[in-house]
Amino acid sequence: MQQNNDNSSIIDPIKLNRLAETAIKVGLQLQPGQDLLITAPTAALPLVRRIAEHAYKAGAGLVMPFFTDEQLTLARYQFASDSSFDKAANWLYDGMAKAFSANTARLAIVGDDPMLLSSQDPAKVSRANKANSIAYQPALEKIAGFDINWNIIAWPGTAWAQQVFPNETQDNAVRKLADAIFAASRVDLEDPIAAWSQHNAKLHAKTAWLNENRFSALHFTGPGTDLTVGLADGHEWHGGASTAKNGITCNPNIPTEEVFTTPHAHRVEGYVSSTKPLSYNGTLIDNISVRFEAGRIVEAKASRGEDVLKKVLETDEGAARLGEVALVPHSSPISKSGLLFFNTLFDENAACHIALGQCYAKCFLDGATLSPEQIAAQGGNKSLIHIDWMIGSNEVNIDGIQAHNTRVPVFRKGEWVE
Ligand code: ZN
Ligand code: ZN
């Protein structure tokens, strides 16, 4: 079906403009003279244009956008030769890595159809993803290592909106998704910049408490879950605004409700069940249940998408180990919206979650000065992937475990105890 992708007449221009301004002033804190690299779906052009305006007003050197297009992506699956699926734009990612090394800021706009590739050959999807992940690695290391200020925001793409609101007309679905994105991003408020500074202060109070407690592990219990997540040696909790290695304090994710740190890649034991479906590259993976031994997933099941899950776990050695553990109260605004967004940027902020794969170097004390070898020695995981999935609900309790096995209640029935 052909879709009208020009949503600019349906989407509130004032809130859209606030989102662009918030991305530049809160998400990136773009500095005078700094260049900006943007990736976006073609449909998000109206937002990209407003971002460029705010970037140049803030003194940006050069704003350079790169677009992807859903129809163009599908054309590859329909018409490309088999060998196409082992290719990736290495030259482009090398250029991105170079740009980041030269202190270019990075803004990513998400908004594609989460089911875009769901009816394509899974083997081709997985080959294309793998080729892309390998090519992207040098650039991803600079993002994951927090070398530069970066930010992700969302655009209410038409197909995405219809996935979230299947019973609405196309226009209403887009309007509703736009409103949900604006509310979660706090740009439905008159002064989003002030709202973000209050929100950041709240998240920082939580990370300060967790860092003072120096837990060696977190113990999650709930239906289908009895999981002990050992935390990496010298781990540090982060959440909200934080400072990149280039000295700029930014909010990498808009929205964000989580506080998060690095688990120990070899000290995770027990079993855990997902509490929300995971939308991964066009496949829905539902009712995940896995068992860990010495940090590695040794058994994995899912009621839907199990084959994709198993392929993901085989990506590399680190793909079956954890790279992140994050705490989000059940009462978070995104959770309260009751929506399943089919998009990690939103869904991960509705519940406590864990991530398979690559860890964040910044989640270590003095993380900026640690070499990859030191990070690995302290328990930081390394992988081509980083996939968050939700394990929190109003039935999940969490205890922090300190040295000598002292237990401190952290969450009860999905909410902070403190
Ligand atoms: Zn997270
Ligand atoms: Zn994550």
Side-chain angles (χ1 to χ4, degrees):
M1 190 182 72
Q2 271 296 336
Q3 285 175 324
N4 172 18
N5 275 327
D6 181 13
N7 293 335
S8 45
S9 57
I10 311 168
I11 296 167
D12 183 336
I14 293 171
K15 290 175 186 166
L16 190 67
N17 191 55
R18 282 190 201 140
L19 181 60
E21 187 177 7
T22 301
I24 294 299
K25 292 187 178 166
V26 177
L28 291 172
Q29 293 266 13
L30 196 73
Q31 300 297 302
Q34 202 179 13
D35 292 345
L36 174 60
L37 188 160
I38 305 174
T39 54
T42 45
L45 184 58
L47 177 59
V48 175
R49 285 181 177 146
R50 284 168 198 266
I51 286 164
E53 281 175 29
H54 285 286
Y56 284 124
K57 282 181 193 164
L62 183 67
V63 179
M64 187 58 72
F66 293 90
F67 289 97
T68 53
D69 180 72
E70 291 175 350
Q71 300 301 320
L72 204 150
T73 301
L74 288 178
R76 184 184 185 193
Y77 285 88
Q78 200 177 349
F79 301 114
S81 67
D82 186 68
S83 61
S84 166
F85 296 92
D86 297 316
K87 287 199 164 186
N90 297 64
W91 54 270
L92 176 65
Y93 293 127
D94 288 349
M96 284 187 182
K98 247 188 199 171
F100 301 155
S101 295
N103 199 36
T104 298
R106 160 91 158 104
L107 180 66
I109 301 174
V110 298
D112 272 337
D113 179 359
M115 296 297 133
L116 187 65
L117 301 178
S118 55
S119 50
Q120 305 304 322
D121 175 1
K124 283 183 177 171
V125 174
S126 127
R127 280 163 62 199
N129 283 339
K130 186 159 187 181
N132 211 57
S133 296
I134 292 168
Y136 186 45
Q137 184 71 9
L140 179 64
E141 272 173 13
K142 298 188 188 299
I143 298 292
F146 210 21
D147 286 24
I148 46 140
N149 44 333
W150 58 270
N151 173 234
I152 308 180
I153 56 170
W155 164 265
T158 303
W160 179 24
Q162 289 180 306
Q163 178 75 32
V164 180
F165 298 102
N167 301 319
E168 299 287 345
T169 63
Q170 183 174 302
D171 284 4
N172 275 343
V174 169
R175 206 172 282 124
K176 286 195 161 186
L177 181 58
D179 285 345
I181 291 171
F182 293 150
S185 308
R186 295 179 158 73
V187 300
D188 58 334
L189 305 168
E190 282 292 314
D191 188 351
I193 315 286
W196 272 96
S197 99
Q198 283 169 15
H199 182 50
N200 279 326
K202 280 187 189 162
L203 292 171
H204 289 161
K206 294 298 178 204
T207 57
W209 181 78
L210 288 162
N211 285 327
E212 275 161 28
N213 272 285
R214 301 260 26 107
F215 295 125
S216 60
L218 295 178
H219 182 209
F220 290 76
T221 48
T225 293
D226 186 344
L227 183 74
T228 302
V229 178
L231 301 179
D233 300 333
H235 70 274
E236 189 171 57
W237 287 89
H238 280 265
S242 61
T243 304
K245 284 184 197 163
N246 67 0
I248 299 169
T249 300
C250 64
N251 264 97
N253 287 6
I254 289 184
T256 186
E257 303 289 338
E258 60 171 345
V259 298
F260 57 101
T261 195
T262 301
H264 197 293
H266 299 276
R267 294 186 200 145
V268 182
E269 303 284 346
Y271 53 92
V272 62
S273 299
S274 64
T275 50
K276 284 173 189 285
L278 163 65
S279 169
Y280 174 71
N281 287 336
T283 308
L284 210 60
I285 309 176
D286 206 358
N287 294 310
I288 302 171
S289 116
V290 301
R291 192 166 65 79
F292 286 86
E293 269 178 24
R296 194 164 201 287
I297 292 176
V298 292
E299 264 176 55
K301 278 181 249 164
S303 66
R304 185 176 171 185
E306 185 175 298
D307 48 340
V308 176
L309 175 66
K310 287 192 166 159
K311 275 232 151 46
V312 164
L313 294 173
E314 287 165 9
T315 309
D316 54 25
E317 163 58 25
R321 297 181 189 274
L322 296 186
E324 179 191 341
V325 57
L327 306 182
V328 180
H330 186 69
S331 59
S332 94
I334 294 171
S335 172
K336 271 188 181 160
S337 78
L339 297 172
L340 181 66
F341 284 86
F342 303 93
N343 182 299
T344 302
L345 179 60
F346 290 82
D347 292 328
E348 75 161 343
N349 285 303
C352 292
H353 55 273
I354 47 181
L356 301 170
Q358 181 66 40
C359 74
Y360 286 106
K362 76 168 180 182
C363 289
F364 285 94
L365 296 164
D366 299 319
T369 63
L370 296 177
S371 68
E373 292 73 28
Q374 286 170 310
I375 286 171
Q378 289 182 220
N381 194 30
K382 186 174 162 57
S383 172
L384 289 170
I385 63 161
H386 178 99
I387 301 172
D388 301 271
W389 52 283
M390 277 43 84
I391 62 166
S393 75
N394 58 352
E395 296 179 288
V396 170
N397 295 330
I398 307 169
D399 281 350
I401 301 171
Q402 289 168 321
H404 312 297
N405 255 338
T406 315
R407 296 176 83 95
V408 177
V410 177
F411 267 50
R412 285 294 176 267
K413 297 190 172 177
E415 298 298 330
W416 287 101
V417 170
E418 276 274 299

